[in-house]
Amino acid sequence: MRPLTEVKIGSLVLKNPVMTASGTFGYGEEYSPYVDLNRLGAVVVKGISLEPRKGNPPPRIMETPGGMLNAIGLQNVGARAFVTEKLPWLRQFDTKVIVNIFGETLGEYGEVAAALTGVPGIHALEVNISCPNVQKGGHVFGCDPGVSGEVTRAVRSATDLPVIVKLSPNVSDIAEIARSCESAGADALSLINTLLGMSIDVERRVPHLRNITGGLSGPAVRPVAVRMVWNTVNAVSIPVIGIGGIMEAGDALEFLIAGAKAVQVGTANFVNPRVTMEIVDGIEEYLLRHGFGDVNEVIGSLKTG
Amino acid sequence: MVTREDLTAEILSNAEVAPCHYLLALAVSPVYRDARPGQFVMLRPGGLGIPFLGRPLGIYSLSGHARGARIEILYRAAGRGTKVISTRCEGDRLEVLGPLGNRFTCFPGMDTAVLVAGGIGIAPLVFLAERLTTGPAKDRVRVVAYIGARDAATLLGVDRVRAFGAEVRISTDDGSAGHRGPVTELFRNEMGSFDTARTGVFACGPYPMLRRMGEIVADRPMPCQVLMEERMACGMGACLGCTIEVRGPGGPEYRQVCTDGPVFDLRDILWR
Ligand SMILES: Cc1cc2nc3c(=O)[nH]c(=O)nc-3n(C[C@H](O)[C@H](O)[C@H](O)COP(=O)(O)OP(=O)(O)OC[C@H]3O[C@@H](n4cnc5c(N)ncnc54)[C@H](O)[C@@H]3O)c2cc1C
Ligand SMILES: Cc1cc2nc3c(=O)[nH]c(=O)nc-3n(C[C@H](O)[C@H](O)[C@H](O)COP(=O)(O)O)c2cc1C
Ligand code: FES
């Protein structure tokens, strides 16, 4: 018998725990020649703001050992164009659509959440709090527990959709931030977003990225991500979604065993566009091999002796 | 749906054809049968260290093969990733994604194609020369290829382009073959001989060379297409990493080289 793979993120029911990570799967359509979207637990689309954004000047990416740096600058089509031009195409699939949102002010977070609420085909919002707050000198929202809670509250009060708050790893105490978002009304947490990094072209003595610094992702970050997910699972009682350097089913299982209810696959899509489906298959194969009838038996099953 | 098989290629040969320059022949799936000049592949030797991301490489030739298609790639072992690819042998497998990107296009009434290639920029233009000279008679045009290289040893593609019946004009930086000096200047000296209403210019090469092409054709109404390069991660428009800046109707706009390009109208590019 095939094992059960359904997981629940609060009121959001996923057919399996595998989703795409925001910013690495476009708006879904880009990957449709490679991936049957019906097979995924959810598609998380590129971060959306109220108004379109141009993003950062190039060069925006650089390869690093076991990963890459990016400073895309949150280029996106804006909430209105997303709903009219991108979402209708996604609606034809039997998968959940999660829209990643961000703003530059607390008010903008609320506004973009409201603009995407009540729109058929959107099943949840994921709130990217790793953005600079233009009203507070560019200080990143998600680096302060109090402000992280305020953003969560702003979105919570603007929508009745499930709210997933996506945490930044560039903090000293992830548990404190996680608890702050939980008490402000988050339905779930996802982590990690990219780790701040930098690399230099030594021949020309210039940074590889025009933005100087960028976000590190890929297999290089996975141990950091697993540790932070473990810390977070132990700090809150809402569901946690694990993200960071997942390249294959075994990597996804690390997060599930650590206690994540589901996972997101990001940079791996660039290296193997079919990877999400292969991870879905690989998790099923693991469940069969270990005699688990339900993926939920594996979640949080870490033995620490 | 693209299968796992479509994403692997078998190496038929991978030979050093000039110092640090390699000609790679791959057996690929039938999805490549419709590949066109200007299109590229993302090539990965596998593994998760360096290289981690695929390397964008243009298609140099396309022909039939029992597996579906055979493509050739002419590349320079420039950095770590391409150096690893250059160590792979006949029978080895590579991960390949493609064919990707748009293509060079001709305009109605075009009867002459001028190709301007700098260094390894010759690679995609050889494929174009082949299509412009060996297709159905009604599509054939006169091809004049300006081929520039550092020296005679790294001058590549000349024999092939000649075999397609193209007129070849050569320049090298050190004068060891053809004219001495940049290929752009050789083209500039002779461009007055082309009928601007019937000639299309197609250029590929290093960034400064393409920028110089922009200056050279600025006051001549010849259509000119260039193949632009930028670092890539996904190759399919999803990561928004491979951005360049172009002239838009309302001011500067960003475009993705992998999906909006790699072929652009030279006059649209905003050089940095
Ligand atoms: C559409 C397109 C077609 C191309 N066709 C050819 C070809 O036919 N033959 C050929 O020799 N080269 C071609 N190039 C350039 C080729 O992609 C780079 O030389 C190659 O990526 C360098 O990788 P590396 O491992 O040698 O260097 P590294 O220094 O290890 O590269 C580090 C990172 O930067 C990227 N990078 C470095 N230089 C370039 C560049 N010029 N363009 C894009 N990314 C770069 C790499 O892909 C990698 O992600 C093409 C580039 C593009 C965008
Ligand atoms: C090119 C790129 C763009 C990204 N864009 C976003 C984004 O718009 N919003 C967001 O919350 N995270 C974004 N991320 C972060 C990823 O969703 C993910 O959290 C991170 O890359 C770690 O996972 P990975 O190692 O599997 O890629 C982006 C990552 C990359 C590589
Ligand atoms: S390489 Fe990802 S959008 Fe072009």
PDB file of all heavy atoms in Angstrom, chain A residues 184-212:
ATOM      1  N   ALA A 184       1.959  36.790  17.835  1.00  0.00           N
ATOM      2  CA  ALA A 184       1.301  37.839  17.052  1.00  0.00           C
ATOM      3  C   ALA A 184       0.285  37.245  16.068  1.00  0.00           C
ATOM      4  O   ALA A 184      -0.324  37.974  15.292  1.00  0.00           O
ATOM      5  CB  ALA A 184       2.334  38.658  16.297  1.00  0.00           C
ATOM      6  N   GLY A 185       0.137  35.928  16.071  1.00  0.00           N
ATOM      7  CA  GLY A 185      -0.939  35.340  15.276  1.00  0.00           C
ATOM      8  C   GLY A 185      -0.523  34.573  14.037  1.00  0.00           C
ATOM      9  O   GLY A 185      -1.372  34.223  13.210  1.00  0.00           O
ATOM     10  N   ALA A 186       0.773  34.267  13.882  1.00  0.00           N
ATOM     11  CA  ALA A 186       1.195  33.473  12.725  1.00  0.00           C
ATOM     12  C   ALA A 186       0.600  32.071  12.828  1.00  0.00           C
ATOM     13  O   ALA A 186       0.530  31.491  13.912  1.00  0.00           O
ATOM     14  CB  ALA A 186       2.716  33.394  12.674  1.00  0.00           C
ATOM     15  N   ASP A 187       0.151  31.523  11.695  1.00  0.00           N
ATOM     16  CA  ASP A 187      -0.364  30.153  11.667  1.00  0.00           C
ATOM     17  C   ASP A 187       0.769  29.147  11.520  1.00  0.00           C
ATOM     18  O   ASP A 187       0.623  27.982  11.874  1.00  0.00           O
ATOM     19  CB  ASP A 187      -1.326  29.979  10.493  1.00  0.00           C
ATOM     20  CG  ASP A 187      -2.552  30.853  10.659  1.00  0.00           C
ATOM     21  OD1 ASP A 187      -3.285  30.640  11.634  1.00  0.00           O
ATOM     22  OD2 ASP A 187      -2.744  31.764   9.828  1.00  0.00           O
ATOM     23  N   ALA A 188       1.879  29.592  10.928  1.00  0.00           N
ATOM     24  CA  ALA A 188       3.023  28.712  10.713  1.00  0.00           C
ATOM     25  C   ALA A 188       4.256  29.575  10.479  1.00  0.00           C
ATOM     26  O   ALA A 188       4.141  30.783  10.226  1.00  0.00           O
ATOM     27  CB  ALA A 188       2.785  27.806   9.504  1.00  0.00           C
ATOM     28  N   LEU A 189       5.415  28.945  10.576  1.00  0.00           N
ATOM     29  CA  LEU A 189       6.673  29.639  10.311  1.00  0.00           C
ATOM     30  C   LEU A 189       7.430  28.866   9.245  1.00  0.00           C
ATOM     31  O   LEU A 189       7.336  27.630   9.184  1.00  0.00           O
ATOM     32  CB  LEU A 189       7.533  29.700  11.587  1.00  0.00           C
ATOM     33  CG  LEU A 189       6.890  30.375  12.803  1.00  0.00           C
ATOM     34  CD1 LEU A 189       7.792  30.213  14.032  1.00  0.00           C
ATOM     35  CD2 LEU A 189       6.630  31.859  12.522  1.00  0.00           C
ATOM     36  N   SER A 190       8.157  29.580   8.399  1.00  0.00           N
ATOM     37  CA  SER A 190       9.027  28.881   7.449  1.00  0.00           C
ATOM     38  C   SER A 190      10.423  29.465   7.583  1.00  0.00           C
ATOM     39  O   SER A 190      10.593  30.654   7.843  1.00  0.00           O
ATOM     40  CB  SER A 190       8.490  29.012   6.018  1.00  0.00           C
ATOM     41  OG  SER A 190       8.418  30.365   5.631  1.00  0.00           O
ATOM     42  N   LEU A 191      11.441  28.629   7.441  1.00  0.00           N
ATOM     43  CA  LEU A 191      12.814  29.093   7.523  1.00  0.00           C
ATOM     44  C   LEU A 191      13.747  28.000   6.983  1.00  0.00           C
ATOM     45  O   LEU A 191      13.355  26.832   6.996  1.00  0.00           O
ATOM     46  CB  LEU A 191      13.198  29.502   8.953  1.00  0.00           C
ATOM     47  CG  LEU A 191      13.361  28.406  10.031  1.00  0.00           C
ATOM     48  CD1 LEU A 191      14.153  28.944  11.179  1.00  0.00           C
ATOM     49  CD2 LEU A 191      12.015  27.900  10.516  1.00  0.00           C
ATOM     50  N   ILE A 192      14.905  28.429   6.378  1.00  0.00           N
ATOM     51  CA  ILE A 192      15.489  29.759   6.477  1.00  0.00           C
ATOM     52  C   ILE A 192      15.421  30.491   5.132  1.00  0.00           C
ATOM     53  O   ILE A 192      15.425  29.864   4.079  1.00  0.00           O
ATOM     54  CB  ILE A 192      16.974  29.708   6.928  1.00  0.00           C
ATOM     55  CG1 ILE A 192      17.836  28.922   5.946  1.00  0.00           C
ATOM     56  CG2 ILE A 192      17.103  29.174   8.314  1.00  0.00           C
ATOM     57  CD1 ILE A 192      19.338  28.951   6.238  1.00  0.00           C
ATOM     58  N   ASN A 193      15.375  31.819   5.236  1.00  0.00           N
ATOM     59  CA  ASN A 193      15.644  32.634   4.066  1.00  0.00           C
ATOM     60  C   ASN A 193      17.172  32.596   3.865  1.00  0.00           C
ATOM     61  O   ASN A 193      17.866  31.893   4.583  1.00  0.00           O
ATOM     62  CB  ASN A 193      15.130  34.060   4.297  1.00  0.00           C
ATOM     63  CG  ASN A 193      14.706  34.718   2.996  1.00  0.00           C
ATOM     64  OD1 ASN A 193      15.428  34.633   1.998  1.00  0.00           O
ATOM     65  ND2 ASN A 193      13.567  35.362   2.994  1.00  0.00           N
ATOM     66  N   THR A 194      17.684  33.327   2.911  1.00  0.00           N
ATOM     67  CA  THR A 194      19.120  33.228   2.619  1.00  0.00           C
ATOM     68  C   THR A 194      19.973  33.851   3.728  1.00  0.00           C
ATOM     69  O   THR A 194      19.552  34.783   4.405  1.00  0.00           O
ATOM     70  CB  THR A 194      19.445  33.911   1.287  1.00  0.00           C
ATOM     71  OG1 THR A 194      18.925  35.244   1.328  1.00  0.00           O
ATOM     72  CG2 THR A 194      18.819  33.176   0.123  1.00  0.00           C
ATOM     73  N   LEU A 195      21.192  33.333   3.858  1.00  0.00           N
ATOM     74  CA  LEU A 195      22.175  33.861   4.816  1.00  0.00           C
ATOM     75  C   LEU A 195      22.951  34.971   4.123  1.00  0.00           C
ATOM     76  O   LEU A 195      23.389  34.814   2.984  1.00  0.00           O
ATOM     77  CB  LEU A 195      23.154  32.753   5.204  1.00  0.00           C
ATOM     78  CG  LEU A 195      22.654  31.724   6.221  1.00  0.00           C
ATOM     79  CD1 LEU A 195      23.457  30.445   6.106  1.00  0.00           C
ATOM     80  CD2 LEU A 195      22.749  32.283   7.625  1.00  0.00           C
ATOM     81  N   LEU A 196      23.170  36.085   4.805  1.00  0.00           N
ATOM     82  CA  LEU A 196      23.922  37.179   4.175  1.00  0.00           C
ATOM     83  C   LEU A 196      25.354  36.762   3.881  1.00  0.00           C
ATOM     84  O   LEU A 196      26.017  36.173   4.741  1.00  0.00           O
ATOM     85  CB  LEU A 196      23.933  38.391   5.101  1.00  0.00           C
ATOM     86  CG  LEU A 196      22.851  39.430   4.851  1.00  0.00           C
ATOM     87  CD1 LEU A 196      23.019  40.587   5.816  1.00  0.00           C
ATOM     88  CD2 LEU A 196      22.880  39.923   3.407  1.00  0.00           C
ATOM     89  N   GLY A 197      25.803  37.041   2.681  1.00  0.00           N
ATOM     90  CA  GLY A 197      27.157  36.659   2.307  1.00  0.00           C
ATOM     91  C   GLY A 197      27.776  37.642   1.331  1.00  0.00           C
ATOM     92  O   GLY A 197      27.137  38.617   0.907  1.00  0.00           O
ATOM     93  N   MET A 198      29.006  37.369   0.954  1.00  0.00           N
ATOM     94  CA  MET A 198      29.729  38.275   0.057  1.00  0.00           C
ATOM     95  C   MET A 198      30.864  37.503  -0.597  1.00  0.00           C
ATOM     96  O   MET A 198      31.431  36.605   0.017  1.00  0.00           O
ATOM     97  CB  MET A 198      30.283  39.432   0.908  1.00  0.00           C
ATOM     98  CG  MET A 198      31.102  40.442   0.167  1.00  0.00           C
ATOM     99  SD  MET A 198      31.357  41.898   1.240  1.00  0.00           S
ATOM    100  CE  MET A 198      32.617  42.737   0.310  1.00  0.00           C
ATOM    101  N   SER A 199      31.176  37.815  -1.844  1.00  0.00           N
ATOM    102  CA  SER A 199      32.363  37.235  -2.469  1.00  0.00           C
ATOM    103  C   SER A 199      33.003  38.266  -3.395  1.00  0.00           C
ATOM    104  O   SER A 199      32.329  39.175  -3.896  1.00  0.00           O
ATOM    105  CB  SER A 199      32.032  35.923  -3.184  1.00  0.00           C
ATOM    106  OG  SER A 199      31.498  36.153  -4.451  1.00  0.00           O
ATOM    107  N   ILE A 200      34.303  38.100  -3.593  1.00  0.00           N
ATOM    108  CA  ILE A 200      35.103  39.143  -4.242  1.00  0.00           C
ATOM    109  C   ILE A 200      35.884  38.577  -5.429  1.00  0.00           C
ATOM    110  O   ILE A 200      36.450  37.489  -5.346  1.00  0.00           O
ATOM    111  CB  ILE A 200      36.077  39.755  -3.202  1.00  0.00           C
ATOM    112  CG1 ILE A 200      35.264  40.488  -2.113  1.00  0.00           C
ATOM    113  CG2 ILE A 200      37.096  40.696  -3.855  1.00  0.00           C
ATOM    114  CD1 ILE A 200      36.083  40.975  -0.941  1.00  0.00           C
ATOM    115  N   ASP A 201      35.887  39.327  -6.516  1.00  0.00           N
ATOM    116  CA  ASP A 201      36.719  39.018  -7.680  1.00  0.00           C
ATOM    117  C   ASP A 201      38.112  39.578  -7.372  1.00  0.00           C
ATOM    118  O   ASP A 201      38.319  40.794  -7.415  1.00  0.00           O
ATOM    119  CB  ASP A 201      36.095  39.696  -8.910  1.00  0.00           C
ATOM    120  CG  ASP A 201      36.928  39.488 -10.175  1.00  0.00           C
ATOM    121  OD1 ASP A 201      38.130  39.173 -10.061  1.00  0.00           O
ATOM    122  OD2 ASP A 201      36.368  39.655 -11.272  1.00  0.00           O
ATOM    123  N   VAL A 202      39.033  38.687  -7.040  1.00  0.00           N
ATOM    124  CA  VAL A 202      40.342  39.177  -6.576  1.00  0.00           C
ATOM    125  C   VAL A 202      41.183  39.764  -7.705  1.00  0.00           C
ATOM    126  O   VAL A 202      42.032  40.625  -7.464  1.00  0.00           O
ATOM    127  CB  VAL A 202      41.142  38.087  -5.821  1.00  0.00           C
ATOM    128  CG1 VAL A 202      40.408  37.652  -4.562  1.00  0.00           C
ATOM    129  CG2 VAL A 202      41.445  36.897  -6.723  1.00  0.00           C
ATOM    130  N   GLU A 203      40.956  39.317  -8.938  1.00  0.00           N
ATOM    131  CA  GLU A 203      41.733  39.872 -10.057  1.00  0.00           C
ATOM    132  C   GLU A 203      41.406  41.346 -10.244  1.00  0.00           C
ATOM    133  O   GLU A 203      42.283  42.165 -10.468  1.00  0.00           O
ATOM    134  CB  GLU A 203      41.438  39.108 -11.359  1.00  0.00           C
ATOM    135  CG  GLU A 203      41.907  37.655 -11.356  1.00  0.00           C
ATOM    136  CD  GLU A 203      43.404  37.518 -11.093  1.00  0.00           C
ATOM    137  OE1 GLU A 203      44.176  38.355 -11.593  1.00  0.00           O
ATOM    138  OE2 GLU A 203      43.784  36.577 -10.362  1.00  0.00           O
ATOM    139  N   ARG A 204      40.117  41.656 -10.167  1.00  0.00           N
ATOM    140  CA  ARG A 204      39.691  43.043 -10.402  1.00  0.00           C
ATOM    141  C   ARG A 204      39.473  43.809  -9.095  1.00  0.00           C
ATOM    142  O   ARG A 204      39.222  44.994  -9.097  1.00  0.00           O
ATOM    143  CB  ARG A 204      38.424  43.060 -11.265  1.00  0.00           C
ATOM    144  CG  ARG A 204      38.693  42.505 -12.681  1.00  0.00           C
ATOM    145  CD  ARG A 204      37.403  42.170 -13.434  1.00  0.00           C
ATOM    146  NE  ARG A 204      36.493  43.302 -13.485  1.00  0.00           N
ATOM    147  CZ  ARG A 204      35.193  43.227 -13.223  1.00  0.00           C
ATOM    148  NH1 ARG A 204      34.648  42.075 -12.907  1.00  0.00           N
ATOM    149  NH2 ARG A 204      34.437  44.290 -13.285  1.00  0.00           N
ATOM    150  N   ARG A 205      39.536  43.085  -7.966  1.00  0.00           N
ATOM    151  CA  ARG A 205      39.302  43.659  -6.637  1.00  0.00           C
ATOM    152  C   ARG A 205      37.967  44.388  -6.542  1.00  0.00           C
ATOM    153  O   ARG A 205      37.890  45.515  -6.076  1.00  0.00           O
ATOM    154  CB  ARG A 205      40.485  44.555  -6.216  1.00  0.00           C
ATOM    155  CG  ARG A 205      41.690  43.704  -5.783  1.00  0.00           C
ATOM    156  CD  ARG A 205      42.866  44.526  -5.346  1.00  0.00           C
ATOM    157  NE  ARG A 205      43.550  45.116  -6.483  1.00  0.00           N
ATOM    158  CZ  ARG A 205      43.768  46.406  -6.652  1.00  0.00           C
ATOM    159  NH1 ARG A 205      43.383  47.269  -5.737  1.00  0.00           N
ATOM    160  NH2 ARG A 205      44.380  46.830  -7.731  1.00  0.00           N
ATOM    161  N   VAL A 206      36.928  43.725  -7.063  1.00  0.00           N
ATOM    162  CA  VAL A 206      35.564  44.263  -6.960  1.00  0.00           C
ATOM    163  C   VAL A 206      34.666  43.145  -6.419  1.00  0.00           C
ATOM    164  O   VAL A 206      34.995  41.966  -6.567  1.00  0.00           O
ATOM    165  CB  VAL A 206      35.016  44.729  -8.334  1.00  0.00           C
ATOM    166  CG1 VAL A 206      35.800  45.915  -8.859  1.00  0.00           C
ATOM    167  CG2 VAL A 206      35.026  43.583  -9.345  1.00  0.00           C
ATOM    168  N   PRO A 207      33.536  43.525  -5.792  1.00  0.00           N
ATOM    169  CA  PRO A 207      32.606  42.469  -5.359  1.00  0.00           C
ATOM    170  C   PRO A 207      32.007  41.789  -6.589  1.00  0.00           C
ATOM    171  O   PRO A 207      31.838  42.432  -7.631  1.00  0.00           O
ATOM    172  CB  PRO A 207      31.530  43.226  -4.580  1.00  0.00           C
ATOM    173  CG  PRO A 207      31.724  44.667  -4.862  1.00  0.00           C
ATOM    174  CD  PRO A 207      33.080  44.876  -5.439  1.00  0.00           C
ATOM    175  N   HIS A 208      31.688  40.500  -6.465  1.00  0.00           N
ATOM    176  CA  HIS A 208      31.068  39.808  -7.597  1.00  0.00           C
ATOM    177  C   HIS A 208      29.668  40.343  -7.881  1.00  0.00           C
ATOM    178  O   HIS A 208      29.186  40.252  -9.007  1.00  0.00           O
ATOM    179  CB  HIS A 208      30.992  38.307  -7.318  1.00  0.00           C
ATOM    180  CG  HIS A 208      32.259  37.579  -7.662  1.00  0.00           C
ATOM    181  ND1 HIS A 208      32.943  36.805  -6.766  1.00  0.00           N
ATOM    182  CD2 HIS A 208      32.968  37.520  -8.813  1.00  0.00           C
ATOM    183  CE1 HIS A 208      34.012  36.290  -7.361  1.00  0.00           C
ATOM    184  NE2 HIS A 208      34.054  36.716  -8.600  1.00  0.00           N
ATOM    185  N   LEU A 209      28.989  40.847  -6.839  1.00  0.00           N
ATOM    186  CA  LEU A 209      27.635  41.376  -7.031  1.00  0.00           C
ATOM    187  C   LEU A 209      27.669  42.893  -7.005  1.00  0.00           C
ATOM    188  O   LEU A 209      28.367  43.495  -6.188  1.00  0.00           O
ATOM    189  CB  LEU A 209      26.699  40.891  -5.913  1.00  0.00           C
ATOM    190  CG  LEU A 209      26.575  39.381  -5.721  1.00  0.00           C
ATOM    191  CD1 LEU A 209      25.577  39.095  -4.606  1.00  0.00           C
ATOM    192  CD2 LEU A 209      26.146  38.696  -7.009  1.00  0.00           C
ATOM    193  N   ARG A 210      26.893  43.491  -7.868  1.00  0.00           N
ATOM    194  CA  ARG A 210      26.797  44.948  -7.895  1.00  0.00           C
ATOM    195  C   ARG A 210      26.305  45.489  -6.550  1.00  0.00           C
ATOM    196  O   ARG A 210      26.685  46.555  -6.088  1.00  0.00           O
ATOM    197  CB  ARG A 210      25.835  45.329  -9.027  1.00  0.00           C
ATOM    198  CG  ARG A 210      25.528  46.775  -9.166  1.00  0.00           C
ATOM    199  CD  ARG A 210      26.673  47.512  -9.870  1.00  0.00           C
ATOM    200  NE  ARG A 210      26.279  48.886 -10.093  1.00  0.00           N
ATOM    201  CZ  ARG A 210      25.619  49.292 -11.162  1.00  0.00           C
ATOM    202  NH1 ARG A 210      25.317  48.455 -12.111  1.00  0.00           N
ATOM    203  NH2 ARG A 210      25.281  50.558 -11.282  1.00  0.00           N
ATOM    204  N   ASN A 211      25.442  44.709  -5.889  1.00  0.00           N
ATOM    205  CA  ASN A 211      24.887  45.087  -4.590  1.00  0.00           C
ATOM    206  C   ASN A 211      25.903  44.892  -3.450  1.00  0.00           C
ATOM    207  O   ASN A 211      25.597  45.162  -2.306  1.00  0.00           O
ATOM    208  CB  ASN A 211      23.640  44.229  -4.341  1.00  0.00           C
ATOM    209  CG  ASN A 211      22.830  44.678  -3.159  1.00  0.00           C
ATOM    210  OD1 ASN A 211      22.435  45.839  -3.078  1.00  0.00           O
ATOM    211  ND2 ASN A 211      22.606  43.771  -2.210  1.00  0.00           N
ATOM    212  N   ILE A 212      27.090  44.419  -3.761  1.00  0.00           N
ATOM    213  CA  ILE A 212      28.176  44.069  -2.829  1.00  0.00           C
ATOM    214  C   ILE A 212      27.853  42.803  -2.035  1.00  0.00           C
ATOM    215  O   ILE A 212      28.558  41.818  -2.138  1.00  0.00           O
ATOM    216  CB  ILE A 212      28.579  45.233  -1.904  1.00  0.00           C
ATOM    217  CG1 ILE A 212      28.949  46.463  -2.770  1.00  0.00           C
ATOM    218  CG2 ILE A 212      29.774  44.803  -1.019  1.00  0.00           C
ATOM    219  CD1 ILE A 212      29.326  47.694  -1.964  1.00  0.00           C
TER     220      ILE A 212
END
